[in-house]
Amino acid sequence: MRHLILGLCLLAAWIVPLSVRAEDTRFDAPGEEIETLVIGSVTDLVFIEPLIHEFQRANPSTAVIYRQMTSLDLYAAVADACEKGEFFADTVISSAIPEQVRLVNDGCSEPFRFSLPPDLPDWASWRNELVGLTYEPAVIVYDREGLGQDEVPRNRFELVDLLRQTERFRGRIGTYDIESSGVGYIFAFEDASQASTWGRLLESLGQNRAQLFCCSSDVIDGVRTGRLVLGYNVLGSYALARQEEDPRIGIIFPSDYTLALSRAALVSRHARNKRAANALIALALTDTGQRLLSGPSRLLSSLNGPEMLNSLDTGAGPSAEEAAFRPIALSPALLVGLDQAKRKAFLDQWRKSFQAAGPE
């Protein structure tokens, strides 16, 4: 039976520092319990639960503790434990891929004990210590009841034009708070590097007093309820899953380019159950794992994500077939955005754009 472990865990084996905001969910072993696997992750539990159940079907003596946190809290906790030579989780799965690369670079992981699939794209792995499990585009979501079909922007140029209607959209645009979200920061940093529209888009978000959120699900909720008309740079996996429940949500794959992020996994150097950690990651890369990821959860797989996306009907905007996907490679290049001086300058530009709009 599954039950929620909240707050403090008194057993020293699983203790979580008081400063860390973590929510642990335990999946008891289906059979006679002889070991435990601790997963540190940012992924909403409902999206990864099918993979956990499949893992336990193949490993019935293994209990699983799913330790869910925000991306930056997870990175801070794992990095702190690594520096102290302490245990925090056996495997770490996060969409904050620059932070994942840094953990590997800092010696907080170890090589996998299984062979990566031969058809895994080059951008989806690094040093045989970090592997991308998913294929998740950064999309624009919109309220189909609040935006006419002929108004739906197909790319960032059209989005900037649309947002000139500040009286209409003021306070009704949502996006990541890039100061608190690792995935939001990497999407914005990549936009700044790749989009000729970045300056104008940032200005438009500020002028419209865009609402900032920690998580994709909060932006999507805003669109679903009509509080927001548009959400920018939302994780497509979450949007696709929610669209199946609520057709009010429309999804746009920008035709100028669509970033794609791969939620990355590593085995902790200080893992207590390295066997199970490797087994879980290896499972996610099998045909069965791909099917589970690409099913109702819509995380899709790094191995078949583009093909799966091409088959989806998401609304009036450009289809996935029309999108120019640009996967963000797992590589040391991601560390540039984490450079302290560069990060400060980038966040200063972000804050100034929103402050320039002035008070309500």
Side-chain angles (χ1 to χ4, degrees):
M1 181 183 297
R2 190 183 89 196
H3 63 277
L4 196 62
I5 305 170
L6 293 173
L8 302 177
C9 183
L10 299 179
L11 295 176
W14 309 116
I15 192 164
V16 180
L18 289 175
S19 60
V20 172
R21 292 172 289 175
E23 184 175 279
D24 287 6
T25 303
R26 180 182 174 87
F27 295 82
D28 290 337
E32 182 181 356
E33 184 175 317
I34 62 172
E35 63 177 3
T36 302
L37 169 68
V38 180
I39 305 168
S41 180
V42 304
T43 307
D44 288 356
L45 177 58
V46 67
F47 289 93
I48 205 164
E49 194 167 355
L51 190 68
I52 293 175
H53 287 313
E54 179 61 24
F55 170 80
Q56 288 191 306
R57 189 190 67 77
N59 298 267
S61 61
T62 308
V64 173
I65 292 178
Y66 190 73
R67 181 160 291 160
Q68 185 178 342
M69 307 170 68
T70 64
S71 57
L72 296 186
D73 281 345
L74 178 62
Y75 167 72
V78 175
D80 181 62
C82 175
E83 184 178 355
K84 295 175 179 176
E86 297 174 352
F87 172 80
F88 182 79
D90 295 300
T91 181
V92 181
I93 305 173
S94 178
S95 51
I97 52 177
E99 285 77 7
Q100 291 288 80
V101 169
R102 174 175 278 179
L103 288 171
V104 174
N105 194 61
D106 290 347
C108 299
S109 61
E110 68 165 41
F112 297 126
R113 300 179 181 181
F114 60 90
S115 298
L116 294 173
D119 53 342
L120 185 74
D122 290 342
W123 53 261
S125 67
W126 184 49
R127 271 180 31 178
N128 196 41
E129 294 184 37
L130 187 67
V131 62
L133 304 181
T134 65
Y135 190 87
E136 303 177 60
V139 303
I140 302 169
V141 293
Y142 66 96
D143 177 8
R144 283 172 163 166
E145 296 180 13
L147 204 61
Q149 187 166 338
D150 59 340
E151 297 180 291
V152 176
R154 301 177 61 83
N155 51 52
R156 289 168 182 79
F157 302 98
E158 293 182 10
L159 176 60
V160 168
D161 287 341
L162 181 70
L163 294 185
R164 289 186 178 135
Q165 302 176 50
T166 52
E167 291 303 315
R168 178 183 177 188
F169 294 113
R170 185 173 289 121
R172 302 193 69 200
I173 309 298
T175 191
Y176 276 111
D177 178 355
I178 69 170
E179 295 190 63
S180 64
S181 167
V183 66
Y185 181 84
I186 184 60
F187 280 158
F189 194 83
E190 289 291 316
D191 272 344
S193 303
Q194 302 196 35
S196 60
T197 54
W198 173 246
R200 285 180 291 157
L201 178 57
L202 191 55
E203 182 182 1
S204 297
L205 292 173
Q207 289 175 342
N208 283 279
R209 298 191 178 94
Q211 303 295 305
L212 304 180
F213 300 88
C214 74
C215 316
S216 283
S217 53
D218 291 342
V219 179
I220 297 166
D221 277 340
V223 170
R224 180 184 60 81
T225 59
R227 289 185 293 110
L228 301 176
V229 179
L230 283 163
Y232 180 72
N233 263 359
V234 171
L235 277 172
S237 51
Y238 286 26
L240 289 165
R242 296 291 289 279
Q243 187 187 57
E244 292 183 0
E245 301 171 1
D246 192 339
R248 180 170 179 168
I249 300 167
I251 300 174
I252 301 162
F253 298 92
S255 61
D256 48 338
Y257 69 87
T258 297
L259 295 172
L261 173 146
S262 190
R263 206 167 294 248
L266 59 83
V267 175
S268 172
R269 189 179 71 186
H270 301 294
R272 289 179 174 157
N273 195 338
K274 295 182 179 181
R275 182 209 68 81
N278 277 273
L280 177 75
I281 297 171
L283 170 63
L285 296 168
T286 64
D287 290 343
T288 298
Q290 291 175 54
R291 175 177 53 78
L292 292 170
L293 292 173
S294 301
S297 69
R298 291 303 185 194
L299 293 178
L300 304 184
S301 165
S302 53
L303 291 153
N304 66 1
E307 293 77 12
M308 292 292 295
L309 285 169
N310 288 340
S311 66
L312 301 176
D313 177 17
T314 56
S319 67
E321 252 182 318
E322 298 174 75
F325 286 113
R326 294 184 187 175
I328 303 173
L330 302 180
S331 78
L334 290 174
L335 298 176
V336 173
L338 297 182
D339 175 81
Q340 227 173 7
K342 282 186 167 52
R343 181 178 172 85
K344 183 181 182 302
F346 190 71
L347 291 178
D348 284 347
Q349 179 197 26
W350 173 269
R351 292 189 201 102
K352 284 176 185 175
S353 297
F354 283 88
Q355 292 166 356
E360 291 282 359

